DNA sequence: CACTTTAAAGGACATTTGTCAAAGATCTGA
DNA sequence: TCAGATCTTTGACAAATGTCCTTTAAAGTG
């Protein structure tokens, strides 16, 4: 892949500029991973050795509750970062499951390499700080959506956050992300 | 206040060690602010010039929706950080309101001083990165709570996140934080 | 202390959402 | 292409929650 058009480089350079050499250094800290559709990337209870930058494909992060119902915390498509954040950063057993909804190509980084990269290239610590801050803001918005919007509004909000997702994911999973049953989501479809 | 027992220093030193001189430098980037109960610290639509570290007192962050209903995104008591994150970091007009539930003493930092401090003292950038990451993890947990728990579970979850809050805040506000009406919360009180 | 405001709880009823069941539609792999 | 699996929609009913209202208690104010 041409370095200048590498999706990871494009994302980083939205926040900080890198030389070719610096980006090469960044890439050295990642390993490329391929997963097949339906493959489980992280089992609940396991340690989470990687944070994944998705180059191509689609993953989901979810939890199965005591009644066997799946609750979807996050979808990850191209250019999204996906992991169990708590397990990854705190080295605790994962409470979430990560699996693939499509064949997926990802760049994987360990917490050790992430810390090392931040020390070697302080720009990258700035990059990760901005990404964490923006992630925090995005989750605040999702919470406000739970507080103030009904399922219909949340559905339309989802469409704007994940353009194209609706064509790639069963509606039952969309419902799970929204916190309603598939029946409720189905009844919503009639409404604007 | 004795420097070694300053609440801000205690919080920072949970993640990075500081010399007396370094902590003095940190403090130089903040200004002390006092607010009275019911005082509005940030009006919706205004710019958010400060992130507040609460030394003493209690604030809330909320939004009033089109029907006039208040939705509470966050409470901030001692040692919590409070602002409209999006408005503060992106310098956009605030979409949230911040006000005081008690007389409050806070340390206020501007985004310019925060950036400057991170450059002067890279440890502090690391500190803010860890805080942002932990904040992200906490919000993920709150979202999972919305997805998988009923209001009763969310209520007990709130009690564990904000010990002592229940004694300081009207139940109607607790209900607003949980995303239910005060009547529903009242019915819950009977259940374990 | 008296007075006003605010908070809490509960009842009655309407609305929303979940649950369970069934049927049709779509996708998928041999 | 066919047959099984998965997905989506719909209906009937139950459960949860919201809305509106009243009553009582508690807190704040002059």
């Amino acid at each position: 892949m041409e370095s200048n058009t590498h999706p990871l480089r494009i994302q980083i350079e939205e926040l900080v500029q890198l030389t070719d050499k610096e980006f090469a250094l960044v890439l050295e800290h990642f390993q490329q991973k391929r997963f097949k559709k339906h493959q489980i990337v992280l089992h609940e209870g396991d340690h989470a050795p990687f944070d994944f930058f998705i180059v191509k494909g689609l993953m989901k992060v979810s939890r199965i509750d005591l009644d066997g119902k799946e609750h979807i915390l996050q979808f990850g498509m191209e250019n999204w970062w996906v992991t169990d954040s708590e397990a990854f950063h705190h080295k605790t057993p994962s409470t979430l499951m990560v699996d693939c909804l499509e064949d997926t190509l990802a760049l994987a980084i360990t917490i050790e390499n992430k810390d090392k990269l931040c020390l070697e290239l302080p720009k990258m610590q700035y990059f990760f700080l901005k990404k964490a801050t923006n992630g925090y803001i995005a989750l605040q918005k999702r919470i406000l959506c739970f507080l103030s919007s009904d399922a219909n509004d949340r559905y339309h909000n989802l469409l704007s956050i994940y353009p194209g997702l609706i064509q790639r994911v069963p509606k039952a999973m969309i419902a799970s992300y929204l916190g309603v049953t598939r029946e409720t989501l189905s009844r919503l479809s009639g409404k604007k």
Side-chain angles (χ1 to χ4, degrees), chain A:
Chain A
M1 184 174 300
E2 183 57 44
S3 166
N4 284 349
T5 62
H6 192 293
L8 178 57
R9 181 165 185 176
I10 290 171
Q11 179 171 111
I12 295 170
E13 294 209 327
E14 287 172 8
L15 295 170
V16 295
Q17 299 309 305
L18 296 179
T19 64
D20 288 355
K21 200 165 179 177
E22 285 170 337
F23 180 62
L25 178 66
V26 169
L27 267 191
E28 279 171 22
H29 291 76
F30 289 81
Q31 45 190 295
Q32 193 164 293
K33 299 259 186 187
R34 287 179 188 278
F35 303 101
K36 291 183 186 168
K37 182 171 179 174
H38 295 136
Q39 187 173 348
I40 297 180
V41 172
L42 175 64
H43 289 83
E44 187 192 326
D46 286 1
H47 283 272
F50 301 111
D51 197 359
F52 296 102
F53 174 81
I54 298 183
V55 177
K56 184 84 187 73
L58 182 57
M59 293 182 180
K60 68 169 157 52
V61 182
S62 63
R63 172 178 295 166
I64 312 291
D65 72 14
L66 300 173
D67 301 328
K69 288 179 198 160
E70 179 182 45
H71 303 283
I72 297 179
L73 182 62
Q74 185 198 347
F75 294 104
M77 20 197 272
E78 288 77 11
N79 301 322
W80 284 69
W81 293 82
V82 169
T83 191
D84 176 335
S85 299
E86 183 175 35
F88 176 72
H89 287 100
H90 297 344
K91 296 198 172 202
T92 51
S94 174
T95 61
L96 302 170
M97 179 182 75
V98 178
D99 65 338
C100 297
L101 303 178
E102 301 174 358
D103 291 352
T104 299
L105 171 64
L107 294 174
I109 190 169
T110 61
I111 187 68
E112 288 78 13
N113 270 5
K114 186 176 175 182
D115 288 342
K116 183 162 156 277
L117 179 58
C118 286
L119 289 175
E120 291 169 357
L121 207 53
K123 283 179 196 177
M124 286 303 295
Q125 186 170 68
Y126 178 84
F127 168 76
F128 285 120
L129 174 59
K130 290 291 171 191
K131 291 299 284 184
T133 301
N134 289 340
Y136 182 83
I137 291 166
L139 292 192
Q140 280 197 335
K141 288 183 178 180
R142 186 159 169 212
I143 287 171
L144 272 169
C145 224
F146 274 108
L147 291 177
S148 64
S149 301
D150 60 17
N152 196 29
D153 289 341
R154 294 210 299 280
Y155 177 68
H156 287 94
N157 188 53
L158 169 72
L159 298 186
S160 68
I161 294 175
Y162 293 99
L165 184 74
I166 202 75
Q167 288 80 326
R168 295 166 75 176
V169 168
K171 293 209 173 160
M173 288 187 190
I174 303 289
S176 169
Y177 177 93
L178 297 175
V180 295
T181 60
R182 73 193 93 179
E183 291 92 341
T184 296
L185 181 62
S186 181
R187 289 175 187 124
L188 250 41
S189 309
K191 305 179 186 175
K192 191 202 63 145

